[in-house]
Amino acid sequence: MTTDTTGTAARDGEPRRGGPADSPFVRACRREPGPHTPVWFMRQAGRSLPEYREIRANVPMLESCRSPELVTEITLQPVRRHGVDAAILFSDIVVPVAAAGIDLDIVPGTGPVVAEPVRTAADVERINPIGRDDVSYVDEAVRLLVAELGDTPLIGFAGAPFTLASYLVEGGPSRTHAKTKALMYGDPELWHALCARLAEVTLSFLRVQVDAGVSAVQLFDSWAGALSEADYRRYVLPHSAHVLAGLAGAGVPRIHFGVGTAELLGAMGEAGADVVGVDWRTPLDVATRRIGPDKAVQGNLDPAVLLAPWPVVEAAVRRILDEGRAAPGHVFNLGHGVLPETDPEVLTRVVALVHELSARPAA
Ligand code: CP3
């Protein structure tokens, strides 16, 4: 018996039935039929859960990301509570950037804040390559989680070069990404050097997670929707494609997600994803026509709908499952992260409803 990088025990080359690689989530990512439409929520581990707020009460965000025990507990919380079909590693997109030597913090209610923004060639040189030893707490947390989760798959993730570059160039969150775009248009050579460095950091961070046993990876390019398709193709796609191509042989599905990306869905699929994440603005059947028949889709309930009365939520879930039938594989999710004010009971009910409405008799 051998163990491959997906953490799936294999005998005579046959995947073991029942392991995470045979889960409804991984099957849907691979466009294979399964017992029901799988569901998980971006930002499911976080501030909507009282047990999360309790455990995080006196621990700063980055410190909690560096504690394998805390990461394991926080990652498991939504799995226990909601019965979601996948866990997502508790971490943040800026964790590998901090490991690469950039001085930054995650400020509650604001997000990542960078001490010295990256705007010159010398600044780009400050971004060091990373390896397993620089993020050993992530390696350890993934191994602990894979052992705890059994058949439930664990999703690893990282930020894509554009979204990471935006935080580094702006120095923090930005509505317009004006400084980022000024660098991109004004000094394309420096821009590509910055994104190439970030792509290496991201790829290394994802490889550590894959080697430790995650069953899928998601590349978050949350802010890519700020770009036109032409600019996305010219300034961003090659760098995201480098990350995704670097994982092509890893044996785990690759999910690629951004917000406001209606015009970019085809290009984001071309960057090398197996699954394209869709926000709530584009119906999944329309998205599928843009992405093409050889990729699964993930999404796309508006997170704000969860704040409405249950009949509204139920109708939206039914509509999304219907629209998702146009795709060759559908992973139910929100169109962006869970809002902190969401009632966790509603998330639990959504999981049960998705499972009930999508149940397929065993083949
Ligand atoms: O999805 C999950 O449950 C896993 C954990 C996760 C976090 N951040 C934890 C977190 C994931 C996948 C992320 C990714 C992330 N981080 C993205 C991409 C996804 C997206 O939302 O678009 C981005 C852009 C970031 C950067 C970032 N970090 C933001 C915008 C914020 C929120 C700022 C705020 O407080 O409103 C953070 C902080 C953060 N990351 C929190 C959590 C649980 C909140 C920290 C806290 O509890 O105080």
Side-chain angles (χ1 to χ4, degrees):
M1 195 155 96
T2 56
T3 302
D4 66 21
T5 53
T6 59
T8 308
R11 194 174 277 125
D12 302 331
E14 284 290 309
R16 178 170 64 87
R17 293 202 67 83
D22 195 35
S23 62
F25 166 74
V26 173
R27 295 185 70 91
C29 291
R30 297 195 194 286
R31 293 171 285 128
E32 294 165 6
H36 58 256
T37 300
V39 47
W40 69 279
F41 305 110
M42 292 184 278
R43 294 287 180 90
Q44 65 190 17
R47 288 175 302 177
S48 67
L49 299 184
E51 59 269 35
Y52 169 82
R53 289 195 290 265
E54 195 181 322
I55 201 168
R56 277 282 328 281
N58 296 309
V59 194
M61 178 67 186
L62 279 175
E63 195 179 318
S64 54
C65 293
R66 292 174 183 143
S67 158
E69 290 73 26
L70 272 182
V71 169
T72 302
E73 171 56 24
I74 295 172
T75 301
L76 292 173
Q77 285 177 345
V79 180
R80 285 191 207 113
R81 186 190 258 267
H82 305 307
V84 281
D85 290 277
I88 179 156
L89 181 73
F90 180 78
S91 188
D92 195 86
I93 57 167
V94 295
V95 164
V97 180
I102 299 298
D103 183 4
L104 58 84
D105 198 8
I106 298 178
V107 177
T110 300
V113 174
V114 179
E116 290 176 60
V118 174
R119 294 176 191 156
T120 65
D123 292 337
V124 171
E125 296 287 321
R126 293 194 278 119
I127 306 169
N128 299 313
I130 63 165
R132 201 204 63 90
D133 291 349
D134 301 298
V135 287
S136 55
Y137 40 86
V138 169
D139 171 77
E140 201 182 317
V142 170
R143 289 176 198 278
L144 289 169
L145 277 163
V146 169
E148 287 280 331
L149 281 163
D151 291 346
T152 302
L154 175 65
I155 303 169
F157 75 91
F162 177 77
T163 293
L164 292 178
S166 172
Y167 283 109
L168 292 184
V169 175
E170 304 289 337
S174 164
R175 202 170 44 81
T176 59
H177 309 279
K179 294 189 179 76
T180 311
K181 289 183 179 181
L183 175 69
M184 189 174 89
Y185 298 128
D187 193 344
E189 203 179 320
L190 181 58
W191 171 259
H192 285 297
L194 169 61
C195 286
R197 284 230 173 194
L198 291 172
E200 291 309 330
V201 169
T202 287
L203 180 54
S204 301
F205 190 56
L206 289 172
R207 281 197 174 128
V208 169
Q209 298 174 58
V210 170
D211 288 346
V214 298
S215 293
V217 292
Q218 177 154 327
L219 187 64
F220 281 96
D221 209 352
S222 301
W223 313 140
L227 298 172
S228 69
E229 184 186 351
D231 287 344
Y232 175 81
R233 286 185 180 278
R234 182 166 174 190
Y235 295 109
V236 175
L237 187 149
H239 302 289
S240 296
H242 177 77
V243 175
L244 292 164
L247 298 167
V252 300
R254 298 155 297 169
I255 309 169
H256 196 185
F257 167 79
V259 183
T261 55
E263 301 301 325
L264 306 182
L265 289 169
M268 288 184 77
E270 283 172 41
D274 303 292
V275 184
V276 177
V278 182
D279 82 3
W280 62 91
R281 295 171 181 89
T282 313
L284 291 180
D285 50 346
V286 176
T288 297
R289 286 199 289 278
R290 294 181 184 176
I291 295 162
D294 59 345
K295 294 181 200 310
V297 295
Q298 175 173 280
N300 69 344
L301 181 65
D302 184 338
V305 167
L306 297 173
L307 309 178
W310 177 252
V312 178
V313 179
E314 178 169 345
V317 170
R318 284 180 186 273
R319 174 179 54 77
I320 288 162
L321 285 170
D322 283 344
E323 290 165 352
R325 286 195 186 92
H330 177 205
V331 176
F332 193 100
N333 204 315
L334 305 181
H336 198 183
V338 176
L339 298 169
E341 60 267 45
T342 307
D343 177 355
E345 302 276 330
V346 176
L347 292 172
T348 308
R349 284 183 82 178
V350 167
V351 174
L353 181 64
V354 169
H355 287 170
E356 180 197 320
L357 293 175
S358 66
R360 288 178 280 268

